[in-house]
Amino acid sequence: MTKEVNLIDALKRYFGFDKFKGDQEAIIRNVLDGNDTFVLMPTGGGKSLCYQLPSLIMPGTAIVISPLIALMKNQVDVINGMSEGDGVAHYLNSSLNKSAVEQVKSDIRAGKTKLLYVAPESLTKEDNVEFLKTVKISFYAVDEAHCISEWGHDFRPEYRRIRPIISQIGNAPVIALTATATDKVRTDIKRSLGIADAHEFKSSFNRPNLYYEVRPKTKDVDKQIIMFIKQHPGKSGIIYCLARKKVEELAEILKANDIKAAAYHAGLDSSTRSKTQDDFLMENIDVIVATIAFGMGIDKPDVRFVIHYDIPKSLEGYYQETGRVGRDGGEGKCIAFYAKKDLKKLEKFMEGKPVAEQDIGRQLLQETAAYAESSVCRRKMLLHYFGEEYEQDNCGNCDNCKHPKTKIDGKDALLIILKAVAAVKENFRQEYIVDFVKGRGTDDIVSHKHDQLDEFGAGADMDNKLWNPVIRQALLAGYLRKDVENYGLLKLTASGKRYIKSQEPFMIVMDNEFTDDYVDDSNEAGGTSALDPELFSILKDLRKKTAHKHQLPPYVIFQDVSLEQMATMYPVTQEELTNVQGVGIGKAKRYGKEFLKVIKEYCEEKQIVPPEELRVRTVAKKSMLKVSIIQSIDRKMALDDLADAKGLDFSDLLDEIEAIVYSGTKLNIDYFIEDVVDDDKVDDIYDYFMESETDDLNEALDELGDDYSEDEIRLVRIKFLSENAN
């Protein structure tokens, strides 16, 4: 039965393929031989075939436990479409009525059905358990097996009940399949399913055709996304957002800008979700804006881009979602937008959960932050996370490799870190080690009496921004390892211990810097997003001269993001200039003339024809909110009352007011500032922004100190920009 000629013959007969991919054949033989099997295979590697083909060959019915109803229907249709008779594949879930369930059971009894898909919830129903006890089970396949692990990115408690139910129905070999799992998750899956001795098949996680990029999440993220899609016309893509509200809002904005898009989330009714998925597969729509409810097992080989509007909760989630792009081996672009405040929001969502769950969640978030902020090859970071080493220093297909930063020797810093880890007996996490080497006497450090150790504060005189990249790159280089089982404690490896005795140069790159708000001149994440770097550089020089002439900081004249768009859209008239993010009519009149002249001369010299004007149309609701805020401020309504009236957090209201001011509209909020901020503080903050090279909020908080709250700084920044920039 399992001779090679027969397997190839069966593959050709059932699926029309002439040869297997990767480990498929070895996996199928293992299943046919009755062994428990664990399959770790990235999306697009052909996991489904590993249980579909043996189910068609073996006597009895294979039970496939899968979490998504839409995916079951899709796969059942595919199998039945390849078979001569009906009923070779069925699914059993909550979407079926009573007579449909009876038809499924009848086909199974008659021996027609080789493959039965069930949701874990359906598997545990008593009448289904009793029925399946009477059926000859060839094997159990647990698809998306990472759902079983609390360390997986999509943990589902009902998956924990699979093993007891299997034992109840009747034992048969188990094949567990997942597209993404760290060593920790892999161990957890095998233990939970009772297949500790399973033969393990692990494919490489490297997807060389995928391009990875992380961009700072600025106020113009919607516009950046629209520009990106317009630059890739007719190509299929998925945009992931964390909140359903944002999914719907962004889908509307895309549609308003003539992009064929639709929203998809679990709050929509099943017929709408099915239609949207079918429309995407049939190419009636190009872009799906979705929560993570969309895409698990989506069988569309030519998705060309995946955009993360919000950074995901874990690197596993990120890898799984980016895995839906370029499955045919063709071009695939993975763009993620990152702001530190998004991580803070995700941490806030964890409040109220059990302490152990919060701890796991925070560790996963730290790994995501490390990936986003690091200037190291993104492919190297991802593969290392999944326990695979990528030997090359430059993959040539991620933003960090295309725009490499200058390396510096971190030998002294590495030695300080390694000695610190040893001094605290390898019993603490990264944040603790960083505080320790910086000489910060936190309550935790003092309570452990570690402030009395010789190594405490050994790096106090060095750049504070050095420590995280040194630790992250020491992990990559194998001098340190993280004990994931034990709260992510840092441990020395044998190489790390040798390094303490005998050092050699340790070349590192500093992290990319991300702010919570707008991009400043120092931000180099992935290089500029301007399409014409030469023009961008020319415009930056002009901005500097203009700022000097007006005795203002450069960011007051035009933000980086405005210059990037000028170097992308080549505006040559005042009207075109007002379509650029952050440029209202006032700014265009005040500063625009010289910039337009330079752009026009540049276009003539380079014989550039400016692209068709990109006018991003917003959806009415958002525009109406801005108009209403402006009118309320004109009436001198207290901003905290205004936030309540609009159902916004005060911080979110300030976001909206900042967006209004940054786009060039003048607002006078002096009446409110006078009530809530001391005059001396207003003067200090105002003077700070007049002298500063950046409007970055974090830098302002660091520079001004603890006496000034974030809200106070933001309010005065609005006043400053309104009076000087607009």
Side-chain angles (χ1 to χ4, degrees):
M1 174 77 78
T2 63
K3 283 180 183 171
E4 185 173 349
V5 63
N6 285 358
L7 267 189
I8 294 291
D9 194 37
L11 179 70
K12 182 71 176 169
R13 183 165 78 252
Y14 291 115
F15 293 92
F17 300 140
D18 293 317
K19 60 175 189 284
F20 290 101
K21 279 167 73 173
D23 287 335
Q24 280 178 333
E25 186 176 354
I27 292 164
I28 290 164
R29 286 188 187 286
N30 199 53
V31 174
L32 291 172
D33 289 342
N35 299 319
D36 290 334
T37 312
F38 182 92
V39 177
L40 181 58
M41 188 182 284
T43 304
K47 285 194 309 299
S48 305
L49 189 88
C50 297
Y51 58 79
Q52 286 169 347
L53 185 58
S55 74
L56 297 170
I57 295 171
M58 291 169 80
T61 302
I63 307 286
V64 182
I65 301 155
S66 172
L68 284 186
I69 289 171
L71 169 63
M72 290 182 199
K73 183 181 182 308
N74 180 270
Q75 294 209 347
V76 165
D77 289 346
V78 168
I79 294 290
N80 285 335
M82 295 186 306
S83 310
E84 291 172 24
D86 290 335
V88 173
H90 271 303
Y91 58 86
L92 203 54
N93 59 42
S94 56
S95 72
L96 299 182
N97 59 32
K98 205 166 183 180
S99 65
V101 169
E102 280 312 311
Q103 180 62 54
V104 171
K105 289 181 176 178
S106 168
D107 283 353
I108 292 171
R109 283 192 203 100
K112 284 185 189 176
T113 304
K114 307 299 291 174
L115 203 56
L116 177 67
Y117 287 82
V118 291
E121 300 85 348
S122 305
L123 185 70
T124 54
K125 282 187 180 165
E126 201 173 323
D127 53 342
N128 287 338
V129 170
E130 290 307 311
F131 168 70
L132 290 171
K133 280 181 181 177
T134 67
V135 175
K136 177 171 175 53
I137 309 293
S138 53
F139 61 88
Y140 298 91
V142 183
D143 207 0
E144 310 295 351
H146 55 269
C147 295
I148 211 165
S149 172
E150 288 177 90
W151 286 87
H153 63 275
D154 198 22
F155 173 55
R156 301 189 181 210
E158 62 272 17
Y159 258 62
R160 290 284 199 190
R161 298 180 61 197
I162 290 174
R163 182 69 242 181
I165 295 295
I166 285 176
S167 301
Q168 230 180 309
I169 294 168
N171 284 323
V174 174
I175 173 171
L177 308 102
T178 176
T180 162
T182 57
D183 289 345
K184 168 73 179 157
V185 174
R186 215 153 60 240
T187 308
D188 210 10
I189 292 168
K190 292 201 289 186
R191 190 185 65 241
S192 299
L193 286 175
I195 56 168
D197 297 327
H199 291 245
E200 203 168 297
F201 297 89
K202 184 180 174 187
S203 304
S204 171
F205 274 72
N206 188 21
R207 299 278 307 280
N209 60 314
L210 301 197
Y211 167 77
Y212 299 104
E213 179 180 345
V214 179
R215 296 185 184 182
K217 192 173 182 181
T218 58
K219 296 291 182 192
D220 75 332
V221 61
D222 293 358
K223 188 160 190 171
Q224 283 197 56
I225 288 171
I226 290 163
M227 287 170 72
F228 178 88
I229 295 169
K230 296 266 188 187
Q231 286 157 11
H232 299 84
K235 291 186 176 174
S236 293
I238 306 168
I239 303 171
Y240 285 106
C241 308
L242 284 173
R244 293 176 185 181
K245 186 179 168 193
K246 187 71 224 178
V247 164
E248 292 181 4
E249 183 186 292
L250 185 57
E252 288 305 313
I253 289 171
L254 296 185
K255 284 191 271 191
N257 286 278
D258 304 318
I259 291 165
K260 291 190 283 185
Y264 187 107
H265 60 70
L268 299 168
D269 62 82
S270 60
S271 62
T272 303
R273 292 203 307 271
S274 291
K275 184 180 183 315
T276 300
Q277 187 161 320
D278 288 344
D279 281 347
F280 186 58
L281 292 171
M282 301 302 293
E283 299 185 358
N284 297 325
I285 53 177
D286 293 330
V287 180
I288 295 269
V289 187
T291 58
I292 56 169
F294 178 78
M296 206 184 276
I298 183 74
D299 195 17
K300 184 169 169 59
D302 60 344
V303 175
R304 289 291 162 243
F305 60 86
V306 167
I307 295 173
H308 281 88
Y309 189 95
D310 304 291
I311 206 76
K313 289 182 266 194
S314 74
L315 273 187
E316 284 192 271
Y318 174 74
Y319 185 86
Q320 175 94 355
E321 286 145 30
T322 56
R324 284 154 199 157
V325 73
R327 288 172 61 169
D328 56 1
E331 174 194 51
K333 293 190 185 302
C334 310
I335 313 290
F337 289 94
Y338 173 71
K340 287 188 174 183
K341 68 179 176 186
D342 281 353
L343 285 187
K344 288 172 196 159
K345 272 187 201 167
L346 288 169
E347 279 194 8
K348 216 170 170 54
F349 291 156
M350 291 180 215
E351 288 171 10
K353 291 187 174 178
V355 176
E357 205 175 314
Q358 287 190 48
D359 192 70
I360 290 169
R362 283 201 189 90
Q363 282 194 63
L364 294 174
L365 280 180
Q366 282 165 10
E367 298 291 351
T368 308
Y371 170 80
E373 292 170 15
S374 179
S375 298
V376 173
C377 167
R378 299 209 186 275
R379 193 163 259 95
K380 200 179 191 77
M381 292 281 289
L382 271 178
L383 296 180
H384 178 79
Y385 181 75
F386 291 109
E388 184 179 336
E389 294 313 310
Y390 184 71
E391 299 301 331
Q392 296 171 42
D393 281 334
N394 189 313
C395 75
N397 203 21
C398 76
D399 53 352
N400 286 339
C401 286
K402 288 197 168 195
H403 307 278
K405 280 192 170 181
T406 306
K407 291 193 171 187
I408 58 170
D409 192 352
K411 178 175 73 174
D412 295 342
L414 175 62
L415 187 59
I416 287 170
I417 289 291
L418 297 178
K419 284 183 172 178
V421 171
V424 299
K425 305 284 189 282
E426 303 179 48
N427 217 14
F428 293 89
R429 303 187 199 190
Q430 181 166 330
E431 333 54 299
Y432 188 96
I433 299 296
V434 170
D435 285 339
F436 178 82
V437 299
K438 279 158 65 171
R440 289 189 64 206
T442 62
D443 292 346
D444 211 8
I445 285 174
V446 171
S447 71
H448 285 98
K449 297 191 168 60
H450 285 159
D451 55 325
Q452 295 168 27
L453 294 173
D454 290 345
E455 292 82 1
F456 177 72
D461 297 334
M462 298 171 81
D463 184 351
N464 282 342
K465 292 175 183 172
L466 195 59
W467 304 113
N468 278 320
V470 166
I471 292 174
R472 288 166 184 167
Q473 289 166 62
L475 286 161
L476 280 175
Y479 294 122
L480 289 171
R481 67 174 180 85
K482 255 188 197 168
D483 186 353
V484 182
E485 292 273 356
N486 201 3
Y487 311 109
L489 307 183
L490 290 180
K491 305 283 186 186
L492 289 169
T493 62
S495 299
K497 288 170 185 171
R498 281 197 299 274
Y499 194 91
I500 293 174
K501 292 173 184 166
S502 168
Q503 296 87 53
E504 55 190 43
F506 180 59
M507 304 308 289
I508 63 158
V509 282
M510 295 296 277
D511 281 354
N512 289 312
E513 286 183 39
F514 286 85
T515 69
D516 275 347
D517 295 292
Y518 301 89
V519 193
D520 64 30
D521 286 359
S522 67
N523 198 314
E524 296 176 35
T528 172
S529 58
L531 286 188
D532 193 326
E534 188 182 344
L535 177 58
F536 179 69
S537 178
I538 292 167
L539 295 175
K540 276 181 84 170
D541 287 343
L542 176 58
R543 178 179 64 178
K544 203 169 184 179
K545 286 175 195 158
T546 309
H548 187 70
K549 188 168 82 179
H550 291 276
Q551 295 186 303
L552 289 168
Y555 66 83
V556 171
I557 309 300
F558 290 120
Q559 292 248 308
D560 264 15
V561 72
S562 303
L563 299 187
E564 285 173 5
Q565 289 189 15
M566 289 179 209
T568 302
M569 293 157 59
Y570 305 103
V572 290
T573 68
Q574 197 174 87
E575 188 187 358
E576 287 171 2
L577 189 59
T578 58
N579 289 322
V580 167
Q581 172 73 20
V583 184
I585 189 71
K587 251 190 187 182
K589 283 180 176 172
R590 193 167 183 180
Y591 303 120
K593 196 173 175 184
E594 284 183 77
F595 285 81
L596 291 170
K597 182 173 174 243
V598 164
I599 294 167
K600 193 172 182 183
E601 286 171 358
Y602 181 85
C603 287
E604 285 168 1
E605 183 195 333
K606 304 278 184 183
Q607 297 182 312
I608 292 167
V609 179
E612 186 187 341
E613 169 193 332
L614 177 69
R615 183 190 294 276
V616 172
R617 291 190 283 276
T618 54
V619 286
K621 198 168 86 175
K622 210 165 180 186
S623 304
M624 289 303 295
L625 175 64
K626 286 187 168 40
V627 170
S628 173
I629 288 170
I630 292 167
Q631 289 169 341
S632 300
I633 289 173
D634 285 345
R635 293 198 306 272
K636 299 193 174 179
M637 184 176 185
L639 298 189
D640 45 359
D641 293 340
L642 176 56
D644 289 341
K646 297 296 174 194
L648 297 169
D649 288 340
F650 190 69
S651 173
D652 291 337
L653 175 69
L654 291 186
D655 285 347
E656 295 292 344
I657 294 172
E658 284 167 350
I660 292 165
V661 169
Y662 273 97
S663 67
T665 302
K666 194 162 190 162
L667 292 178
N668 185 344
I669 59 168
D670 286 354
Y671 68 92
F672 183 72
I673 291 176
E674 284 161 12
D675 281 350
V676 298
V677 189
D678 292 344
D679 290 349
D680 289 349
K681 284 188 173 182
V682 173
D683 292 343
D684 288 348
I685 298 167
Y686 200 96
D687 290 346
Y688 165 78
F689 281 113
M690 183 58 87
E691 299 297 322
S692 174
E693 286 294 308
T694 172
D695 59 346
D696 176 39
L697 188 60
N698 286 332
E699 288 203 21
L701 282 162
D702 284 348
E703 195 68 35
L704 289 163
D706 296 338
D707 293 339
Y708 302 82
S709 74
E710 185 173 318
D711 285 348
E712 287 170 342
I713 294 171
R714 290 181 76 182
L715 287 165
V716 178
R717 183 174 66 173
I718 289 165
K719 170 183 168 69
F720 171 78
L721 287 162
S722 212
E723 290 175 1
N724 291 284
N726 300 339

